[in-house]
Amino acid sequence: MRNINIGIIGVGTVGRSVIKILEENKEIISARAGAHLVVKKGVVKNLSKIRNISIPLSTNIQDILDDEEIDIVIELIGGVKEAYEIAKSALKNKKALVTANKAMLAYHRYDLQKIAHDIPIGFEASVCGGIPIIKALKDGLSANHILALRGILNGTSNYILTQMIQNNQDFQTSLKQAQELGYAEADPSLDINGGDAGHKLLILASLAYGIDAKPKDIIIEGIQSINADDIEFADEFGYAIKLLGIAKKQKDEIELRVHPAMIDKNKMISKVEGVMNGISVIGDRVGETLYYGAGAGGDPTASAVISDIIEIIRGKSSLMLGFEQTSQISFKLKPKEKIQSRYYIRLSVDDKSGVLAQIASILTQNNISISTFLQKEVKQKNTAKMLLATHMTTELAIKNAIDELKNLESILQDPYIIRIEDE
Ligand code: HSE
C-alpha cells in the first residue's frame, strides 16, 4: 500500500483527535482508503503548549504548504481571512484540502470551488461535525428536489436551551458549561447569536440549491433574548423552542433563515437535546429523511475530517459544491421581507385601559390576525405581560407592526418575537 502524507494546520481539539484516530483506527482506515495515512507535520501557534502527540510540529505554515511530499492539507485553524489564504495556497500548490471551517466557507466556498478546478476539497466536518449531512445532500439525495430542510445546526445553543428548559438553569451557567466541554466556538457569540448556524445553513443551501448567499443576505437571529415566559408559553401550547436553520423551496425561490423557532413538541427534531445536532431533509422523491448525531467535539468532527481524507484518496473527484446552476435550473434567494411565518410576540405593557385596543389596532392595520392570546398581570408593578401568537403573515408586516408597537408609550420593553414553525 502507498503512503499518503498529510499536514495539519491547527492542532487543537479536532487536530489532536484526527492524529489519535488515525493511529488507533489505523488498520480499518487503511483498508478503507487503500493507503497508509501518515501525518507528516503539524503547524501550531505555540510550540510550548502540551499536546501529548508524537508528530513533528512547527510554527511555520509554509513548512506544510511548501512540502512537496505532503498530498493533503487539513486546515483546522478557524476564522476567515487567514484560513482562506491557507486554503488558496494549498490549492495553488496542488494539494487537496480538507477543512472544518464553516465561517470561511460561508464567505468563500464559491471562490474556492473556482480556484480548485479538479483538486478535491473536503468539508464534511464544517457542518454538524460527525453527521454525514454534506455527503447526504451531495450524493445520497442528489436525485431529489429538496423541498425543505430544518436543522439544529449548533450544539452549544441547543445545549444551552436544553439546560434552560429542562433544568431551569440560567443562560450564563449553561454557556460556561458548553465552553468547558469544548463545544463552543473560540468566539462563543457566534454560537449564541445564530452566526455559526447561519454559516452552516449557507453551506447546506449551496449543496441543496446551488445558492451563493452570504450571511448578510439571510435572516440570522440567536437565542440570547429567550426568557422563562417564552419557555412557559411554548410549553403550554405544545411547542419546543429550538434554534433552527431552515431552508424551503417554493417554485424557484428559496428561503433561508436561522432563528429560534417554536415547533411541535412531538416532532422528532424537537427531541434532539443537549449538544446533539439533528436535521430533517424532505426530498420530493424520498420524502423525509432524518440525520442525528454529535455536531461538535474532537472525535466526531475528526471522524468527518478523516472521511474526507479517505474519499480524496479513493479518487472520487467531483465539483466541490456538487451543483451547477444552468439556464434550466437556477434558484433565487427569496427576499427576507417576503418570507411567511406565524409569530409569537412577547410584550411588556402598562396595565391600564386602552392598551390592548392600541395593540390590536396596530396589528389590524398591518393585516396581522391573532390566533392565541395570554395576559399575565405583574401586580406589584402595575404592568402586564402579553404573550400572543399570530396566524400566518409576512416578515414585512411583522417588522412594521413591531416598529409601531415600539413607539407606543405603554409598551415598556422592545417587543420580542419567536417564529412558529408549524408546517
Ligand atoms: N460551536 C459549534 C457548535 C461547534 O456548538 O455546534 C461545531 O461546529
Side-chain angles (χ1 to χ4, degrees):
M1 267 190 208
R2 64 196 164 127
N3 280 357
I4 295 290
N5 291 318
I6 294 162
I8 304 184
I9 301 177
V11 189
T13 312
V14 177
R16 283 202 307 276
S17 280
V18 169
I19 295 164
K20 185 187 72 175
I21 297 171
L22 285 176
E23 184 53 42
E24 292 174 1
N25 282 3
K26 192 161 42 189
E27 287 82 12
I28 186 83
I29 290 170
S30 295
R32 292 202 169 116
H36 295 301
L37 279 60
V38 180
V39 182
K40 197 169 172 228
K41 243 171 252 168
V43 164
V44 295
K45 283 224 158 74
N46 176 3
L47 280 176
S48 54
K49 207 164 163 182
I50 297 165
R51 291 184 175 82
N52 291 327
I53 48 169
S54 54
I55 61 158
L57 291 178
S58 146
T59 53
N60 185 358
I61 290 171
Q62 295 310 130
D63 286 347
I64 287 184
L65 296 176
D66 295 340
D67 184 337
E68 286 182 1
E69 289 181 354
I70 288 183
D71 308 287
I72 302 176
V73 172
I74 307 182
E75 180 276 304
L76 298 173
I77 63 166
V80 178
K81 208 160 171 264
E82 191 186 0
Y84 179 47
E85 293 307 318
I86 291 170
K88 280 194 291 186
S89 303
L91 296 170
K92 206 172 113 230
N93 292 358
K94 305 270 177 259
K95 297 183 191 309
L97 175 72
V98 174
T99 177
N101 191 331
K102 55 261 161 137
M104 189 262 287
L105 292 173
Y107 291 94
H108 295 299
R109 58 199 184 285
Y110 285 94
D111 301 321
L112 291 179
Q113 176 170 267
K114 215 159 145 193
I115 298 165
H117 296 293
D118 54 356
I119 302 169
I121 302 177
F123 54 104
E124 184 63 70
S126 65
V127 182
C128 296
I131 306 175
I133 186 65
I134 302 282
K135 290 181 179 69
L137 284 170
K138 191 172 170 183
D139 299 327
L141 302 178
S142 51
N144 290 258
H145 278 285
I146 305 302
L147 303 179
L149 177 153
R150 292 180 184 86
I152 293 172
L153 307 177
N154 180 271
T156 301
S157 53
N158 203 42
Y159 179 86
I160 293 172
L161 283 177
T162 306
Q163 295 294 93
M164 285 171 72
I165 293 169
Q166 291 184 353
N167 304 331
N168 291 326
Q169 203 169 283
D170 70 46
F171 186 89
Q172 287 304 335
T173 315
S174 312
L175 169 62
K176 198 157 166 279
Q177 281 174 351
Q179 284 176 296
E180 281 162 8
L181 291 163
Y183 303 143
E185 295 302 297
D187 171 6
S189 61
L190 284 171
D191 293 300
I192 293 155
N193 66 18
D196 176 74
H199 295 156
K200 293 167 179 167
L201 182 70
L202 288 169
I203 297 169
L204 297 181
S206 287
L207 297 156
Y209 308 109
I211 291 272
D212 179 5
K214 304 272 189 304
K216 66 168 174 35
D217 302 325
I218 66 170
I219 294 171
I220 298 183
E221 292 169 13
I223 61 167
Q224 56 277 60
S225 303
I226 296 171
N227 75 14
D229 294 319
D230 313 327
I231 291 171
E232 208 183 308
F233 179 96
D235 190 53
E236 190 162 336
F237 290 95
Y239 295 114
I241 302 181
K242 295 286 178 194
L243 181 72
L244 285 190
I246 299 172
K248 281 187 201 167
K249 175 181 176 305
Q250 281 128 1
K251 299 204 177 109
D252 288 345
E253 275 195 327
I254 308 299
E255 67 179 64
L256 298 178
R257 45 196 170 108
V258 170
H259 51 69
M262 293 194 185
I263 36 170
D264 185 335
K265 264 185 198 169
N266 296 314
K267 291 237 179 223
M268 303 260 282
I269 202 149
S270 303
K271 301 185 194 306
V272 175
E273 280 164 359
V275 73
M276 302 310 275
N277 284 187
I279 309 149
S280 146
V281 183
I282 303 175
D284 68 337
R285 302 298 149 145
V286 70
E288 183 172 21
T289 59
L290 282 161
Y291 308 83
Y292 171 86
D299 278 14
T301 310
S303 158
V305 167
I306 296 171
S307 82
D308 279 342
I309 300 174
I310 294 173
E311 184 176 326
I312 289 168
I313 297 169
R314 284 172 173 166
K316 202 177 117 200
S317 168
S318 58
L319 187 67
M320 176 190 168
L321 297 161
F323 199 112
E324 303 248 23
Q325 292 241 11
T326 63
S327 51
Q328 282 81 33
I329 192 125
S330 171
F331 299 120
K332 304 263 170 307
L333 189 64
K334 187 173 199 166
K336 291 179 206 177
E337 63 276 11
K338 274 174 65 187
I339 290 175
Q340 295 198 340
S341 179
R342 292 184 59 214
Y343 296 81
Y344 155 87
I345 308 175
R346 181 210 324 138
L347 299 167
S348 175
V349 302
D350 275 331
D351 197 0
K352 60 183 189 201
S353 93
V355 172
L356 182 55
Q358 285 177 323
I359 294 167
S361 155
I362 288 177
L363 294 177
T364 310
Q365 278 157 28
N366 286 286
N367 216 7
I368 296 170
S369 158
I370 296 170
S371 72
T372 310
F373 179 81
L374 207 83
Q375 175 162 330
K376 290 180 179 175
E377 202 180 351
V378 187
K379 266 204 179 117
Q380 306 84 335
K381 296 187 180 164
N382 213 17
T383 64
K385 287 172 188 163
M386 286 183 188
L387 311 175
L388 49 100
T390 73
H391 285 295
M392 212 64 168
T393 181
T394 62
E395 284 289 319
L396 181 65
I398 208 83
K399 187 184 168 301
N400 289 341
I402 296 294
D403 286 347
E404 287 174 45
L405 287 170
K406 268 187 206 167
N407 290 332
L408 286 183
E409 242 176 58
S410 46
I411 300 273
L412 305 173
Q413 277 169 15
D414 276 358
Y416 180 61
I417 59 154
I418 299 181
R419 293 167 188 81
I420 302 173
E421 187 60 15
D422 265 343
E423 290 165 54

